[in-house]
Every structure is written in C-alpha cells, then in structure tokens.
Amino acid sequence: MTQVTERGTRLPGAPRAGVRRRSPAAAACVVGGAVAAGLGLGFLAVLVIVLWISSPYPDSGPGGALHLAAGLWLLAHGTELLRYETLSGVPAPVGVTPLLLVALPVLLLRRAARLGGACDEEDEEVLPASAVFSAVLCGYLAVGALATVYAAGGPMPADPISAAWHVPLVAVPAAAGGVWGTKGRPLGPLPNWLPGGLRRGFVRPRYALALRAGAGGALVLLGGGALLVGASLAWHAAQVQTSFLSLTGVWSGRFAVLLLAIALIPNAMVWGAAYALGPGFALGAEVTATPLGFAGAPALPRFPLLEALPAAGPGTPLTWAAAAVPVVAGLAVGWFAVRRAREVSYGETALTAALGSLVCGLVTAGLAAASAGPLGSRRLAEFGPVWWATGAAAFAWTLVLAVPVAVGVHAWRYRPAEGPVAVDADTPVDDGWHDSGVREIRWEAMRRASGTLVPEIVAEPVAPPVVVAPEPAAAAVPAVRARRAVTVVSGLDLGAVAPPVAPPVAPPVPAVAPPVPPVAPPVVGVRVLARRKPPA
C-alpha cells in the first residue's frame, strides 16, 4: 500500500519485449569454445618452442616460433600455408594436411560442446542444442580469426580465403557431434523443414545397414592400405633409414621428422588404398603411381615415407596382388548389408548392398580429398590421390562384388530347413505296436514306476470261441486279420500329484456252457490275447 501512496517508490514494471536477458550458460559456452581453440594453439606452441630451444641453429626468435605454431594450428584444419622462401622466389603453397593432426581440434571442440550441453545441478539453466552449438562455434571461430591474423606475420602465413572455409568445415561437424552426444545420440526425428517422403524414408532400416556396410568397406580399404604401406616400408628398410638419418644430424631435428612422419601415417593409409583400387596417387605433374606401372619421380624431396614408393617401371605380379584389398572390401560390404530378417526380399538386400557401396565410395572420396594437396606451384602442384577417381573406383569395386555376395548370403542364411519327409496322417502305418504287446508292457512299467498316477490297463473280456459249422456249398473265404481294440486313457498328467484312483472293476462275465467238441475241422486264424485271467 505504501508503494502506491508514496510517490518516491516505483512499482517493478514488466520487462520490455525488446530487452533480452543475458544467459550465463550461453556465455559459458562461448568461453568454452574459445578455450578449446586456445588449448590447441597452446599445445602446438609448446611443441614448437621446445623444438626451437633444442635446435642448435634457430632461424628466428620466439616470435617466429609462435607464428609458426599458429600456422600449424590452421594447417590442422586443412588451411593452405604459403612458403615464401623458395629458390624461384614464387610463393609455394603447402596444402597437404597431416590427418592425425586434425584429431587435436576435433577432440577439443567436441569436448567443449559436450561440457556446454551438460547440466550438473538441478537449478542450472539448460540451453537447447541449437544454442549450445551456436555459442561454442562462435567462440571457436573468433579465436580462429585471430589466429589467422596473427599467423600472417610469420614465415609461413595462412591463406585467408582458405582459412575462411576450412576452419568452419572442421569446427561445425565437431561441435555438432559433441552436442549430439550430450543429448543422448538421438536418431530422430528429422527436422520438419525436410520433405515428408525423405523423413519417412530415413526411418527404414536399410539406410542404417547401408551406413554400416559402407563404413565397414571403408575401414577394410584403410586397413589394406596400411598393410601395403607397412610391407613397402619393411621392403625398403635400408632406404628409409638412410633418408631419416641424412635429413638432419641433431636429435631435435630427427624428433621433428619422426613426429611429422607419424602425423602423416593416416595419409599414407589413404594413399595405399587408392593405389590398391587402381587410380593410384599423383606425385607431381603427369606422374602417377599405379599397380600397372610407375614412371618414377626424381624431383621428390627426401622423406622416409616417400622412400616406400614402388620401384620405377611396369607393374609386376607383386604389385597386381594389391587388388586383393578392394576384393575383400567388396565382400565386407556384401556381408554387412544382409539384414537379419526372413521376410526381407532379395531385391531389398541387393538395394541395401548398392547403397552401402555408394557410402563406401563417398567416404573414400572424402578421405582422398583430405589427404591430398599441393606442395609447390609447378611440378608438385598435384600431390596425392585424385578424390573423384578414387571414390568412383571404390564404388565400382564394391558394387560389383557386394550385390551378389549379399544376395548369396541372404539365400544361404534363410534357406528352408531340411528334415524327414512328412507322412500322411490318413495312411495307416503297420508297425506292430498295437498287436505285439509292447504297448502293454511299457505301460505296466510306467505304472509301477509312478505308483498310482498311471491307471492299469484292463483287458477287455473275451468271449470263448463259438464253433460254427461250415456250409458245404460255400466257397473258401480267406481269413481277415482284425485289429484289437485300443484303450485310450485321457487326462494323464505326470507333473501333478493326483489322489489315488481305485482300479476299475471289470463287469461280471456270464457263465457260458462248455463248448461241444467240434466234428468239423477247427477254424484257422483265431488269436486270443488275454492279459488277465477272468474270475472264476
């Protein structure tokens, strides 16, 4: 009441629509993205500073080392660097990105997105996935822009246009993966702005199987490429050792060369897969290494991994054996494309295998594009596999092999079961079971073993044979074997305990006069099976 009467006190008014409340959680996400970028820069800066301190002949001061670290951080995102210190004076681009180095920013940014989307306390503000993604990405890209500007003053500055689209190209999937993991890795629903047919189609299990089959084929190709590279390094072990020792004589330089070789191992795996697929990889202008032949590239720099290249000349059966790698990849795609359901048709299985081959081709093309790049402006402008040729070869190899393998595996897995031939129920089976007395013997053994649970089989009363005099004019009729009556006991339950049941009393048999001795010959074919002696 005093707030109404006193003029000096104002009532709390409603917040205006144009003013938005600042969210501390969103600010924390922005800081988390910036910290992720700073940690990547700091790791590379420490590594470069250590190598610069241990070098006996440093080319520049600590400022140059820090500029070089910023350039390496941008190179880890795929950005091209420019090298001005060349013999011709023309800046040479450096675009081969060590794929192992890409894991550093991806892991850091994914962790920042996961921490930004997590909620530890009940009263803590929970941001939607889109807000977390945007905030983390904003902080990371801000640091990336500053690093691009800072690296421009170093010995190897980054190309601004290349950095403008390479850094977001790596940051967007990493942040999206972190947010998706925080939300429990949901598989749907898809956004409403997509067409309805597309959203309904992606729900089908064929696409999940195709992704699994394509990923399996790509992993087989990478494993085969690693096997080829390892075998070639072992075959050229002496040349590799000589190249490693001749590059530098100090331990810091050799350690730097070793780190660079380790970071380029994933690139070598992709190059080996491209070599096995057939298109091979380029080692300069008009120089390509394929299983069919290698003309040689004398202008290559000395590096341990480059010493594992095949010998110059036409292909040999040893190089042709690399075709076993795509063959195994096609078999893997066909195996993983078979769905574990009997009602799936052969056409559906073949379509799933074809989609898996397409996924394998797309993944291989993407890896080939990421592993290649220029190392110069003239002869080394083309260095690495051609992405479209490698992807097309992977798709063709796996499609030719995966579709028949998938159909064959489906037919073999769900073939009809083989069993004994069914017997018609209306056809009588004469196995001698009811006429030989075995049934009664086994039933008696079961009754004695179970006590009073199984009733006793009571033999039906059998009347004494009646002698009938044959008519003299009647023709001889063959005797017909009659079946015995079978007593069926219903309601038998061996699992439950039933009260004792008194054995049934047989009805009295009427007295029959003794038979008159026959005058005619005895009747043949009469069989009397009496299991119990009638009462006197």
Side-chain angles (χ1 to χ4, degrees):
M1 201 61 186
T2 56
Q3 294 179 357
V4 179
T5 56
E6 295 180 3
R7 296 183 178 179
T9 305
R10 295 183 179 179
L11 291 175
R16 290 177 296 178
V19 179
R20 299 184 60 183
R21 185 173 61 89
R22 296 182 180 179
S23 174
C29 291
V30 174
V31 174
V35 169
L39 288 177
L41 280 169
F43 175 80
L44 293 177
V46 170
L47 183 61
V48 172
I49 287 295
V50 168
L51 293 177
W52 174 78
I53 293 175
S54 58
S55 176
Y57 307 105
D59 295 336
S60 58
L66 293 178
H67 285 84
L68 181 60
L72 290 178
W73 184 79
L74 293 172
L75 181 64
H77 295 78
T79 305
E80 289 187 2
L81 304 181
L82 297 177
R83 184 167 55 91
Y84 288 98
E85 297 179 358
T86 58
L87 297 178
S88 61
V90 179
V94 178
V96 178
T97 302
L99 293 183
L100 191 60
L101 199 61
V102 182
L104 177 64
V106 169
L107 293 178
L108 291 174
L109 187 56
R110 185 175 182 272
R111 179 178 177 274
R114 287 178 60 89
L115 293 178
C119 181
D120 298 334
E121 301 179 0
E122 296 181 357
D123 57 346
E124 188 176 354
E125 181 185 3
V126 180
L127 293 177
S130 58
V132 174
F133 171 77
S134 303
V136 172
L137 195 62
C138 180
Y140 193 87
L141 294 181
V143 177
L146 295 177
T148 305
V149 175
Y150 182 78
M156 296 181 65
D159 185 7
I161 299 178
S162 178
W165 69 276
H166 276 99
V167 175
L169 185 64
V170 175
V172 169
V179 174
W180 182 60
T182 304
K183 300 302 179 181
R185 297 181 177 89
L187 299 178
L190 294 176
N192 295 328
W193 51 268
L194 291 175
L198 184 62
R199 285 188 280 116
R200 288 190 300 269
F202 270 97
V203 180
R204 298 179 181 177
R206 83 160 65 119
Y207 297 103
L209 282 176
L211 289 176
R212 184 186 68 175
L219 288 177
V220 171
L221 287 177
L222 291 179
L227 183 63
L228 292 179
V229 172
S232 184
L233 286 175
W235 186 267
H236 302 86
Q239 293 88 336
V240 172
Q241 182 180 5
T242 303
S243 174
F244 179 75
L245 297 177
S246 61
L247 284 176
T248 178
V250 296
W251 68 269
S252 59
R254 292 178 179 177
F255 183 68
V257 172
L258 180 62
L259 288 180
L260 182 58
I262 293 175
L264 288 172
I265 285 179
N267 300 61
M269 295 169 58
V270 179
W271 290 25
Y275 181 83
L277 287 170
F281 47 88
L283 295 172
E286 300 179 358
V287 178
T288 305
T290 64
L292 300 179
F294 177 46
L300 289 177
R302 298 185 62 87
F303 193 73
L305 290 180
L306 295 178
E307 298 296 333
L309 293 175
T316 61
L318 187 61
T319 60
W320 300 340
V325 174
V327 171
V328 177
L331 297 179
V333 172
W335 176 266
F336 288 115
V338 180
R339 193 186 310 174
R340 297 185 178 275
R342 188 178 293 273
E343 66 274 6
V344 180
S345 62
Y346 292 106
E348 180 72 15
T349 301
L351 180 59
T352 305
L355 291 176
S357 302
L358 179 61
V359 171
C360 181
L362 292 177
V363 172
T364 307
L367 292 175
S371 64
L375 282 182
S377 57
R378 295 181 180 178
R379 293 186 177 181
L380 297 181
E382 298 177 3
F383 205 74
V386 181
W387 65 271
W388 60 268
T390 305
F395 172 69
W397 274 99
T398 53
L399 181 65
V400 171
L401 296 172
V403 173
V405 168
V407 174
V409 170
H410 179 81
W412 173 259
R413 182 177 295 177
Y414 301 113
R415 66 189 184 279
E418 298 180 359
V421 181
V423 181
D424 190 3
D426 298 334
T427 304
V429 180
D430 189 8
D431 54 355
W433 172 264
H434 297 88
D435 296 338
S436 60
V438 178
R439 181 176 68 91
E440 289 82 357
I441 296 175
R442 293 190 177 182
W443 191 274
E444 183 66 19
M446 291 175 58
R447 190 187 67 79
R448 292 179 180 178
S450 60
T452 58
L453 294 179
V454 180
E456 182 181 1
I457 296 180
V458 181
E460 297 181 356
V462 182
V466 180
V467 179
V468 181
E471 298 180 2
V477 179
V480 180
R481 181 180 180 183
R483 292 184 176 274
R484 294 187 53 203
V486 180
T487 303
V488 180
V489 180
S490 62
L492 180 60
D493 189 3
L494 299 179
V497 179
V501 180
V505 180
V509 181
V512 182
V516 181
V519 180
V523 179
V524 181
V526 178
R527 182 181 182 186
V528 179
L529 294 177
R531 298 300 177 186
R532 192 173 183 180
K533 191 174 183 181

